[in-house]
Structures are given as structure tokens and as C-alpha cells.
């Protein structure tokens, strides 16, 4: 059984440096953008300074013997519609590849426990969970879909929907030519390149409000 604990201060986050990076080395997605030192540096500067309203909310998962087996590094802010939204630390620019930290054997259990916590009435009020810049073949994508469907059915007062959106189909019309070229490559399934990223969007209604 995995127990979820919440990190809400930079001081507590700093204490996780060693176990965080050790977990990353065995995680489904192992990239420098997920290292403790990168993510804490990103948080201190809020990336390029684009986030002016935010609250740290990192979910950690531990086994009964205290082993760290999962991390979902989130922060709470507002989306373009001014709705409270959870984002991965590192969103949306600067960090090219993001994901949760979990080994394959703990992936499903941790995602399920994390979403159970987030959809609990005592969790912070939110309308959307935006997991951006995941690799399109990330093992976490089908796991998030399954977890969202499970909790949408199990919790009568809450409806959870999982929607996978290709990042190339988002509002990137004003980006550079190179970005448009990457978008074209991402549509070619035969080319497995890091630029092919997706967004997993989980929207919540019911006790936490109505999804527009």
C-alpha cells in the first residue's frame, strides 16, 4: 500500500534531494529536467518568470517501510480561463520533457493513490490537472487514463475525464518555423524523437465545481 504525503515548502523539498534523484534513476522517464536540482532551480525562478500566482503541491508516495516510490511534482495556479489548475513543476516552457517519477512496478498504484488524493473533497479546489510535455510513448499516459476512469466511476459526486491532446495541436501558431517543423515530425509515428510530446489533461467536476 502506498501512502501519499504532500510537500508544500521549499525547505521540506530540499530534504528530498538524494532519494528523489535515486528514484529518478529507476523511473519510467529519466531526464535531466526531472532531477531535483533542475526542478528546484526552475521553481525558484518560476521558469522564465511566467507564473505570478502559484502554490507548491508535490505528492510523494511511500511504501509501508518508508521507501519513496513515487513523486508527482505539482504546483497550483490558474489557467487561461482563470480556473484553478494543477501543473507539473517545469511547465510549460524551459523543461522539454516532464512526467511523474515512479518505477514501472509502482507506477499504477502510485498514480491511483495520487488521483485519489487529488479528488478527495479535502484536497485544494481545482478544475484541471495539466500534465504537459510528456513523451508520447510515456508509460504514464494509459495509467492516467485508467486512474481517471476508475475514480470517475467510483466517486459518485465527482466526474473525472481524461483527455490526451497532442501538443502539436495546441495554440502554437505563433511559434517559430522550427517548432512547426517539429509539429509535422510529431505526426509521423515512425519518428521517435524527444520533440514529440503530449499533454494529459484531467478535468474535474462535481464537488470541485463544473468543468466549462
Amino acid at each position: 500500500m502506498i501512502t501519499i504525503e504532500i510537500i508544500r515548502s521549499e525547505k521540506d523539498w530540499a530534504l528530498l534531494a538524494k532519494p528523489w534523484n535515486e528514484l529518478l534513476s529507476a523511473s519510467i522517464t529519466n531526464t535531466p529536467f526531472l532531477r531535483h536540482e533542475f526542478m528546484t532551480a526552475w521553481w525558484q525562478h518560476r521558469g522564465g518568470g511566467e507564473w505570478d500566482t502559484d502554490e507548491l503541491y508535490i505528492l510523494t508516495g511511500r511504501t509501508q517501510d518508508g521507501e519513496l516510490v513515487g513523486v508527482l511534482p505539482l504546483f497550483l495556479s490558474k489557467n487561461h480561463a482563470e480556473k484553478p489548475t494543477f501543473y507539473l513543476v517545469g511547465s510549460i516552457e524551459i523543461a522539454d520533457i516532464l512526467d511523474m517519477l515512479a518505477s514501472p512496478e509502482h507506477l499504477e498504484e502510485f498514480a491511483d493513490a495520487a488521483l485519489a488524493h487529488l479528488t478527495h473533497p479535502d484536497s485544494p479546489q481545482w478544475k484541471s490537472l495539466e500534465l504537459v510535455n510528456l513523451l508520447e510513448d510515456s508509460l504514464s499516459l494509459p495509467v492516467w487514463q485508467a486512474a481517471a476512469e476508475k475514480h470517475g466511476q467510483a466517486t459518485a459526486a465527482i466526474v473525472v475525464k481524461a483527455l490526451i491532446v497532442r501538443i502539436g495541436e495546441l495554440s502554437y501558431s505563433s511559434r517559430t518555423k522550427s517548432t512547426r517543423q517539429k509539429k509535422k515530425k510529431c505526426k509521423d509515428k515512425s519518428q521517435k524523437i524527444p520533440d514529440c510530446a503530449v499533454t494529459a489533461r484531467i478535468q474535474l467536476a462535481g464537488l470541485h465545481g463544473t468543468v466549462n
Side-chain angles (χ1 to χ4, degrees):
M1 178 179 179
I2 290 179
T3 300
I4 298 296
E5 298 176 352
I6 307 301
I7 303 287
R8 306 189 78 162
S9 73
E10 293 183 44
K11 181 179 179 180
D12 291 338
W13 192 7
L15 299 176
L16 277 181
K18 183 178 179 180
W20 180 295
N21 287 336
E22 289 176 347
L23 173 61
L24 176 61
S25 66
S27 291
I28 55 169
T29 301
N30 184 355
T31 168
F33 298 111
L34 294 174
R35 287 188 63 83
H36 186 274
E37 54 268 35
F38 178 89
M39 302 213 90
T40 52
W42 185 96
W43 178 253
Q44 290 168 1
H45 298 280
R46 304 302 193 271
E50 62 267 33
W51 302 99
D52 54 8
T53 303
D54 45 57
E55 176 186 349
L56 193 65
Y57 202 83
I58 299 175
L59 287 78
T60 63
R62 294 184 181 275
T63 60
Q64 291 181 323
D65 61 3
E67 179 187 3
L68 182 68
V69 295
V71 174
L72 182 59
L74 300 178
F75 66 95
L76 185 62
S77 188
K78 292 183 178 180
N79 62 15
H80 65 281
E82 294 297 307
K83 302 295 185 181
T85 300
F86 277 116
Y87 294 93
L88 286 170
V89 173
S91 304
I92 295 174
E93 303 292 346
I94 310 298
D96 293 337
I97 301 172
L98 296 172
D99 212 327
M100 62 174 157
L101 281 67
S103 60
E105 59 265 33
H106 293 108
L107 179 60
E108 292 184 17
E109 186 180 2
F110 173 64
D112 180 71
L115 197 54
H117 171 88
L118 291 173
T119 56
H120 192 277
D122 292 337
S123 71
Q125 301 292 296
W126 59 281
K127 302 288 182 168
S128 183
L129 171 60
E130 303 280 342
L131 305 176
V132 307
N133 295 356
L134 277 67
L135 291 174
E136 64 177 353
D137 59 355
S138 171
L139 295 177
S140 68
L141 289 173
V143 169
W144 282 120
Q145 285 182 302
E149 291 171 3
K150 173 183 176 180
H151 289 282
Q153 296 171 356
T155 311
I158 298 176
V159 178
V160 182
K161 297 179 180 179
L163 174 65
I164 305 303
V165 181
R166 296 185 61 79
I167 203 167
E169 296 172 357
L170 299 181
S171 54
Y172 274 65
S173 58
S174 63
R175 297 299 179 87
T176 63
K177 180 179 179 181
S178 61
T179 300
R180 291 196 296 272
Q181 291 173 339
K182 290 176 183 178
K183 172 183 173 181
K184 184 177 180 180
K185 288 181 179 179
C186 282
K187 290 184 177 180
D188 182 357
K189 293 292 186 178
S190 66
Q191 298 195 39
K192 290 186 176 296
I193 56 176
D195 300 306
C196 292
V198 299
T199 294
R201 177 176 296 119
I202 298 174
Q203 295 181 313
L204 179 68
L207 293 180
H208 287 66
T210 302
V211 177
N212 295 322

